[in-house]
Amino acid sequence: MTISKVRLWTVASLTFVPTAALIVARLAWGDRLPPTVASHWSGSTPDGFAATTTFFAITLAVSLIASVVAAATAIRTSDSAPLLLSVTATAGATSATIWILSVALTLDAGTPENARIGWWIALPIAAAMTGIGAWALAAGDGATAQPPLPTPTLDSPLTATERAAWIGRVNSVWPWILSAGLTALTVGTAAYSDWWVAAILLAATALTAAFASVTVRVDNSGLSISSWGVRWKKIAITRVKSASVDTIRPLEWGGYGYRITPRGTAVTLRSGEAIVLTLETGRVFAVSVDHPEDGVRLLNSLVQSS
Protein backbone atom coordinates (compact mmCIF):
# COMPACT_ATOMS: atom_id res chain seq x y z
CA MET A 1 0.00 0.00 0.00
CA THR A 2 1.32 3.47 -0.88
CA ILE A 3 0.18 6.52 1.07
CA SER A 4 1.65 9.94 0.25
CA LYS A 5 3.47 11.80 3.00
CA VAL A 6 1.25 14.84 2.48
CA ARG A 7 -1.84 12.71 3.09
CA LEU A 8 -0.29 11.10 6.17
CA TRP A 9 0.61 14.42 7.78
CA THR A 10 -2.82 15.81 6.91
CA VAL A 11 -4.47 12.90 8.69
CA ALA A 12 -2.06 13.19 11.61
CA SER A 13 -3.21 16.80 12.06
CA LEU A 14 -6.56 15.42 13.24
CA THR A 15 -4.61 14.39 16.34
CA PHE A 16 -2.34 17.44 16.55
CA VAL A 17 -5.09 20.08 16.32
CA PRO A 18 -7.16 18.88 19.32
CA THR A 19 -3.98 18.61 21.38
CA ALA A 20 -3.05 22.19 20.46
CA ALA A 21 -6.62 23.34 21.23
CA LEU A 22 -6.38 21.73 24.67
CA ILE A 23 -3.16 23.61 25.48
CA VAL A 24 -4.47 26.92 24.09
CA ALA A 25 -7.70 26.59 26.11
CA ARG A 26 -5.71 25.95 29.29
CA LEU A 27 -3.56 29.03 28.70
CA ALA A 28 -6.53 31.20 27.71
CA TRP A 29 -8.52 30.39 30.85
CA GLY A 30 -5.49 30.89 33.07
CA ASP A 31 -6.49 31.86 36.62
CA ARG A 32 -10.18 31.61 35.74
CA LEU A 33 -10.07 27.84 35.97
CA PRO A 34 -12.32 26.50 38.72
CA PRO A 35 -10.69 24.13 41.24
CA THR A 36 -13.30 21.45 40.48
CA VAL A 37 -15.28 20.70 37.31
CA ALA A 38 -18.28 18.53 36.51
CA SER A 39 -16.86 15.46 34.81
CA HIS A 40 -19.80 13.05 34.58
CA TRP A 41 -23.48 13.53 33.89
CA SER A 42 -26.58 11.44 34.41
CA GLY A 43 -28.85 12.87 31.76
CA SER A 44 -28.22 16.63 31.95
CA THR A 45 -27.40 16.70 35.67
CA PRO A 46 -23.80 16.20 36.85
CA ASP A 47 -23.19 13.30 39.20
CA GLY A 48 -19.39 13.18 39.05
CA PHE A 49 -16.68 15.77 39.67
CA ALA A 50 -12.90 15.99 39.24
CA ALA A 51 -10.03 18.24 40.27
CA THR A 52 -9.39 20.50 37.29
CA THR A 53 -5.58 20.27 37.33
CA THR A 54 -5.54 16.49 37.73
CA PHE A 55 -8.14 16.12 35.01
CA PHE A 56 -6.05 18.34 32.73
CA ALA A 57 -2.82 16.42 33.43
CA ILE A 58 -4.44 13.10 32.50
CA THR A 59 -6.05 14.57 29.39
CA LEU A 60 -2.83 16.24 28.28
CA ALA A 61 -0.87 13.00 28.74
CA VAL A 62 -3.33 11.07 26.58
CA SER A 63 -3.30 13.78 23.90
CA LEU A 64 0.50 14.06 23.82
CA ILE A 65 0.99 10.29 23.59
CA ALA A 66 -1.54 10.17 20.75
CA SER A 67 0.30 13.00 18.97
CA VAL A 68 3.68 11.26 19.30
CA VAL A 69 2.24 8.03 17.87
CA ALA A 70 0.58 9.99 15.04
CA ALA A 71 3.84 11.73 14.17
CA ALA A 72 5.77 8.46 14.20
CA THR A 73 3.14 6.90 11.95
CA ALA A 74 3.37 9.80 9.50
CA ILE A 75 7.15 9.51 9.37
CA ARG A 76 7.15 5.77 8.78
CA THR A 77 4.54 4.65 6.26
CA SER A 78 3.03 1.18 6.79
CA ASP A 79 -0.13 -0.79 6.08
CA SER A 80 -1.25 -0.10 9.64
CA ALA A 81 -1.15 3.69 9.18
CA PRO A 82 -4.94 4.12 8.65
CA LEU A 83 -5.69 2.12 11.78
CA LEU A 84 -3.08 3.85 13.96
CA LEU A 85 -4.10 7.33 12.84
CA SER A 86 -7.78 6.59 13.42
CA VAL A 87 -6.97 5.49 16.99
CA THR A 88 -4.79 8.54 17.72
CA ALA A 89 -7.37 10.92 16.23
CA THR A 90 -10.12 9.40 18.35
CA ALA A 91 -8.01 9.52 21.53
CA GLY A 92 -6.75 13.07 20.94
CA ALA A 93 -10.06 14.62 19.90
CA THR A 94 -12.15 12.86 22.55
CA SER A 95 -9.88 13.60 25.51
CA ALA A 96 -9.38 17.26 24.54
CA THR A 97 -13.09 17.81 23.93
CA ILE A 98 -14.10 16.25 27.25
CA TRP A 99 -11.80 18.51 29.30
CA ILE A 100 -12.60 21.71 27.40
CA LEU A 101 -16.34 21.05 27.57
CA SER A 102 -16.24 20.19 31.28
CA VAL A 103 -14.44 23.43 32.11
CA ALA A 104 -16.62 25.57 29.82
CA LEU A 105 -19.87 24.22 31.26
CA THR A 106 -18.65 24.64 34.83
CA LEU A 107 -17.55 28.23 34.22
CA ASP A 108 -20.82 29.05 32.52
CA ALA A 109 -22.89 27.60 35.39
CA GLY A 110 -20.82 29.18 38.16
CA THR A 111 -20.50 25.95 40.14
CA PRO A 112 -19.85 22.32 39.14
CA GLU A 113 -23.17 21.23 40.65
CA ASN A 114 -25.14 23.59 38.40
CA ALA A 115 -23.42 22.62 35.14
CA ARG A 116 -25.81 21.24 32.53
CA ILE A 117 -24.64 19.39 29.45
CA GLY A 118 -27.84 19.39 27.35
CA TRP A 119 -27.23 19.18 23.62
CA TRP A 120 -23.49 19.74 24.16
CA ILE A 121 -23.29 15.96 24.51
CA ALA A 122 -23.06 15.97 20.71
CA LEU A 123 -19.52 17.39 20.88
CA PRO A 124 -17.73 14.45 22.56
CA ILE A 125 -19.75 12.05 20.40
CA ALA A 126 -18.62 13.91 17.27
CA ALA A 127 -15.04 13.96 18.58
CA ALA A 128 -15.13 10.21 19.09
CA MET A 129 -16.07 9.83 15.43
CA THR A 130 -12.97 11.75 14.28
CA GLY A 131 -11.24 8.42 13.89
CA ILE A 132 -13.65 7.49 11.09
CA GLY A 133 -12.60 10.57 9.15
CA ALA A 134 -8.94 9.79 9.79
CA TRP A 135 -9.43 6.25 8.51
CA ALA A 136 -11.23 7.45 5.37
CA LEU A 137 -8.51 9.99 4.55
CA ALA A 138 -5.60 7.64 5.24
CA ALA A 139 -7.19 4.78 3.34
CA GLY A 140 -7.95 6.91 0.31
CA ASP A 141 -4.88 5.71 -1.55
CA GLY A 142 -5.74 2.30 -2.93
CA ALA A 143 -3.42 -0.54 -3.71
CA THR A 144 -3.10 -2.37 -6.96
CA ALA A 145 -4.47 -5.89 -6.76
CA GLN A 146 -1.93 -8.64 -7.24
CA PRO A 147 -2.63 -11.63 -9.50
CA PRO A 148 -3.36 -14.87 -7.64
CA LEU A 149 -0.58 -17.36 -7.11
CA PRO A 150 -0.77 -20.83 -8.68
CA THR A 151 -3.37 -23.10 -7.10
CA PRO A 152 -1.67 -25.86 -5.05
CA THR A 153 -3.01 -29.40 -5.21
CA LEU A 154 -2.04 -32.73 -3.66
CA ASP A 155 -0.13 -35.13 -5.89
CA SER A 156 -2.60 -37.85 -4.97
CA PRO A 157 -6.15 -36.72 -4.06
CA LEU A 158 -7.68 -38.21 -0.94
CA THR A 159 -10.01 -41.13 -1.31
CA ALA A 160 -13.54 -41.05 0.10
CA THR A 161 -12.44 -43.06 3.16
CA GLU A 162 -9.30 -41.08 4.02
CA ARG A 163 -9.31 -38.36 6.69
CA ALA A 164 -6.92 -35.45 6.99
CA ALA A 165 -6.70 -32.10 8.75
CA TRP A 166 -4.60 -28.95 8.49
CA ILE A 167 -4.39 -26.15 11.04
CA GLY A 168 -3.03 -22.67 10.34
CA ARG A 169 -2.80 -19.64 12.58
CA VAL A 170 -2.30 -15.92 12.25
CA ASN A 171 -1.61 -13.32 14.92
CA SER A 172 -2.17 -9.61 14.41
CA VAL A 173 -1.25 -6.54 16.44
CA TRP A 174 -3.97 -4.20 15.15
CA PRO A 175 -6.78 -5.70 17.30
CA TRP A 176 -4.76 -4.95 20.43
CA ILE A 177 -4.20 -1.39 19.25
CA LEU A 178 -7.84 -0.90 18.34
CA SER A 179 -8.92 -2.50 21.61
CA ALA A 180 -6.76 0.01 23.47
CA GLY A 181 -8.43 2.82 21.53
CA LEU A 182 -11.87 1.43 22.27
CA THR A 183 -10.98 1.19 25.94
CA ALA A 184 -10.01 4.87 25.94
CA LEU A 185 -13.26 5.67 24.14
CA THR A 186 -15.16 3.65 26.72
CA VAL A 187 -13.66 5.67 29.55
CA GLY A 188 -14.35 8.94 27.76
CA THR A 189 -17.91 8.04 26.82
CA ALA A 190 -18.65 6.76 30.31
CA ALA A 191 -18.02 10.27 31.58
CA TYR A 192 -21.07 11.48 29.68
CA SER A 193 -23.39 8.51 29.69
CA ASP A 194 -24.85 5.61 31.65
CA TRP A 195 -23.12 2.36 32.58
CA TRP A 196 -24.84 0.37 29.81
CA VAL A 197 -23.11 2.49 27.14
CA ALA A 198 -19.74 1.58 28.62
CA ALA A 199 -20.87 -2.08 28.73
CA ILE A 200 -21.63 -2.03 25.00
CA LEU A 201 -18.24 -0.53 24.22
CA LEU A 202 -16.52 -3.10 26.41
CA ALA A 203 -18.30 -5.86 24.50
CA ALA A 204 -17.06 -4.29 21.25
CA THR A 205 -13.56 -4.25 22.71
CA ALA A 206 -13.75 -7.98 23.49
CA LEU A 207 -15.01 -8.76 19.98
CA THR A 208 -12.17 -6.75 18.47
CA ALA A 209 -9.60 -8.55 20.60
CA ALA A 210 -10.91 -11.86 19.23
CA PHE A 211 -9.15 -11.05 15.95
CA ALA A 212 -5.75 -10.86 17.66
CA SER A 213 -5.25 -14.62 17.31
CA VAL A 214 -7.22 -16.62 14.74
CA THR A 215 -7.01 -20.33 13.96
CA VAL A 216 -8.01 -21.71 10.55
CA ARG A 217 -8.75 -25.44 10.31
CA VAL A 218 -9.26 -27.47 7.15
CA ASP A 219 -10.62 -31.02 7.38
CA ASN A 220 -13.03 -33.30 5.56
CA SER A 221 -16.00 -31.21 6.65
CA GLY A 222 -14.61 -27.97 5.21
CA LEU A 223 -12.95 -24.82 6.53
CA SER A 224 -13.58 -23.36 9.99
CA ILE A 225 -12.31 -20.30 11.82
CA SER A 226 -11.98 -19.91 15.59
CA SER A 227 -10.63 -17.45 18.14
CA TRP A 228 -9.44 -18.43 21.61
CA GLY A 229 -10.88 -21.91 21.04
CA VAL A 230 -14.35 -20.71 20.01
CA ARG A 231 -15.42 -21.53 16.44
CA TRP A 232 -17.37 -18.69 14.85
CA LYS A 233 -17.25 -19.44 11.11
CA LYS A 234 -17.75 -22.65 9.14
CA ILE A 235 -17.83 -23.26 5.37
CA ALA A 236 -18.84 -26.78 4.38
CA ILE A 237 -16.70 -28.54 1.78
CA THR A 238 -19.82 -29.04 -0.35
CA ARG A 239 -20.02 -25.26 -0.79
CA VAL A 240 -16.45 -24.93 -2.09
CA LYS A 241 -15.73 -24.98 -5.82
CA SER A 242 -11.97 -24.39 -5.58
CA ALA A 243 -9.29 -22.92 -3.33
CA SER A 244 -6.18 -20.90 -4.05
CA VAL A 245 -3.38 -19.00 -2.35
CA ASP A 246 -3.56 -15.27 -2.91
CA THR A 247 -2.02 -12.09 -1.54
CA ILE A 248 -4.70 -9.85 -0.08
CA ARG A 249 -4.58 -6.36 1.39
CA PRO A 250 -7.12 -4.99 3.88
CA LEU A 251 -7.79 -1.82 1.90
CA GLU A 252 -8.87 -3.90 -1.10
CA TRP A 253 -11.57 -5.43 1.11
CA GLY A 254 -12.70 -2.31 2.94
CA GLY A 255 -10.43 -2.59 5.97
CA TYR A 256 -9.42 -4.99 8.71
CA GLY A 257 -11.66 -7.55 10.39
CA TYR A 258 -14.69 -9.39 9.05
CA ARG A 259 -15.60 -7.66 5.79
CA ILE A 260 -18.61 -8.25 3.55
CA THR A 261 -18.25 -6.62 0.13
CA PRO A 262 -19.80 -6.99 -3.32
CA ARG A 263 -16.82 -9.12 -4.40
CA GLY A 264 -17.17 -11.51 -1.46
CA THR A 265 -16.39 -11.93 2.22
CA ALA A 266 -12.97 -11.74 3.87
CA VAL A 267 -11.37 -12.06 7.28
CA THR A 268 -8.46 -9.66 6.82
CA LEU A 269 -6.01 -9.62 9.69
CA ARG A 270 -2.99 -8.27 7.84
CA SER A 271 -1.59 -7.84 4.35
CA GLY A 272 -0.12 -11.01 2.92
CA GLU A 273 -0.96 -14.59 2.05
CA ALA A 274 -4.45 -15.93 2.47
CA ILE A 275 -6.67 -18.87 1.63
CA VAL A 276 -9.14 -17.76 -1.02
CA LEU A 277 -12.20 -19.93 -1.67
CA THR A 278 -14.37 -19.72 -4.74
CA LEU A 279 -17.80 -20.93 -3.65
CA GLU A 280 -20.42 -22.74 -5.70
CA THR A 281 -22.46 -19.54 -5.72
CA GLY A 282 -19.63 -17.72 -7.47
CA ARG A 283 -18.80 -15.58 -4.45
CA VAL A 284 -15.36 -15.48 -2.85
CA PHE A 285 -14.31 -16.04 0.75
CA ALA A 286 -10.79 -15.12 1.87
CA VAL A 287 -9.02 -15.45 5.21
CA SER A 288 -5.52 -14.28 6.13
CA VAL A 289 -3.37 -17.10 7.45
CA ASP A 290 0.33 -17.90 7.67
CA HIS A 291 1.74 -20.45 5.20
CA PRO A 292 -1.59 -21.43 3.58
CA GLU A 293 -0.25 -23.66 0.79
CA ASP A 294 -0.79 -27.02 2.52
CA GLY A 295 -4.27 -26.00 3.61
CA VAL A 296 -5.19 -25.11 0.04
CA ARG A 297 -3.78 -28.37 -1.27
CA LEU A 298 -5.94 -30.29 1.18
CA LEU A 299 -9.02 -28.24 0.34
CA ASN A 300 -8.69 -28.85 -3.38
CA SER A 301 -8.14 -32.55 -2.82
CA LEU A 302 -11.23 -32.72 -0.62
CA VAL A 303 -13.24 -30.87 -3.28
CA GLN A 304 -12.11 -33.41 -5.91
CA SER A 305 -13.05 -36.39 -3.74
CA SER A 306 -16.40 -35.04 -2.54
Side-chain angles (χ1 to χ4, degrees):
M1 179 183 66
T2 301
I3 305 177
S4 68
K5 287 294 184 180
V6 172
R7 183 185 292 270
L8 279 176
W9 284 106
T10 300
V11 178
S13 69
L14 294 177
T15 303
F16 303 151
V17 171
T19 302
L22 175 66
I23 297 173
V24 169
R26 171 63 181 85
L27 294 175
W29 275 318
D31 295 336
R32 294 179 56 213
L33 286 176
T36 303
V37 295
S39 59
H40 187 279
W41 279 261
S42 178
S44 292
T45 305
D47 62 357
F49 307 91
T52 306
T53 54
T54 302
F55 195 4
F56 175 76
I58 295 173
T59 303
L60 181 62
V62 172
S63 298
L64 289 177
I65 292 173
S67 295
V68 170
V69 174
T73 302
I75 292 172
R76 184 177 180 180
T77 306
S78 68
D79 281 355
S80 62
L83 176 64
L84 288 172
L85 291 174
S86 68
V87 171
T88 61
T90 299
T94 302
S95 58
T97 300
I98 288 174
W99 187 84
I100 293 172
L101 183 60
S102 293
V103 173
L105 292 176
T106 299
L107 287 173
D108 183 65
T111 64
E113 293 78 11
N114 292 329
R116 298 293 183 269
I117 191 167
W119 67 270
W120 291 103
I121 185 65
L123 290 184
I125 293 175
M129 297 179 67
T130 303
I132 298 176
W135 176 281
L137 287 173
D141 289 349
T144 303
Q146 300 294 318
L149 300 176
T151 300
T153 57
L154 291 179
D155 295 334
S156 301
L158 295 178
T159 66
T161 59
E162 289 182 307
R163 295 289 181 268
W166 172 89
I167 296 176
R169 294 181 176 85
V170 59
N171 298 313
S172 183
V173 69
W174 70 261
W176 294 122
I177 297 173
L178 187 55
S179 294
L182 283 171
T183 301
L185 180 59
T186 300
V187 174
T189 304
Y192 293 94
S193 190
D194 296 321
W195 66 268
W196 59 267
V197 178
I200 292 175
L201 287 172
L202 283 175
T205 302
L207 289 174
T208 301
F211 287 95
S213 180
V214 171
T215 299
V216 180
R217 177 184 173 91
V218 175
D219 56 29
N220 291 66
S221 64
L223 179 145
S224 62
I225 303 175
S226 60
S227 299
W228 314 117
V230 178
R231 190 177 74 180
W232 50 268
K233 181 68 176 180
K234 174 75 174 183
I235 298 179
I237 195 65
T238 54
R239 296 179 55 201
V240 180
K241 183 177 180 181
S242 65
S244 63
V245 177
D246 201 354
T247 299
I248 65 173
R249 293 176 173 81
L251 292 186
E252 297 171 2
W253 291 87
Y256 293 84
Y258 193 91
R259 320 302 297 185
I260 300 176
T261 71
R263 65 186 294 188
T265 303
V267 180
T268 56
L269 304 177
R270 45 98 175 115
S271 294
E273 290 184 319
I275 292 178
V276 179
L277 306 181
T278 300
L279 306 180
E280 292 291 345
T281 59
R283 286 182 61 81
V284 171
F285 179 86
V287 55
S288 302
V289 65
D290 296 334
H291 313 298
E293 293 83 1
D294 288 340
V296 169
R297 290 190 182 96
L298 178 56
L299 273 168
N300 283 320
S301 179
L302 292 169
V303 169
Q304 294 175 23
S305 61
S306 62

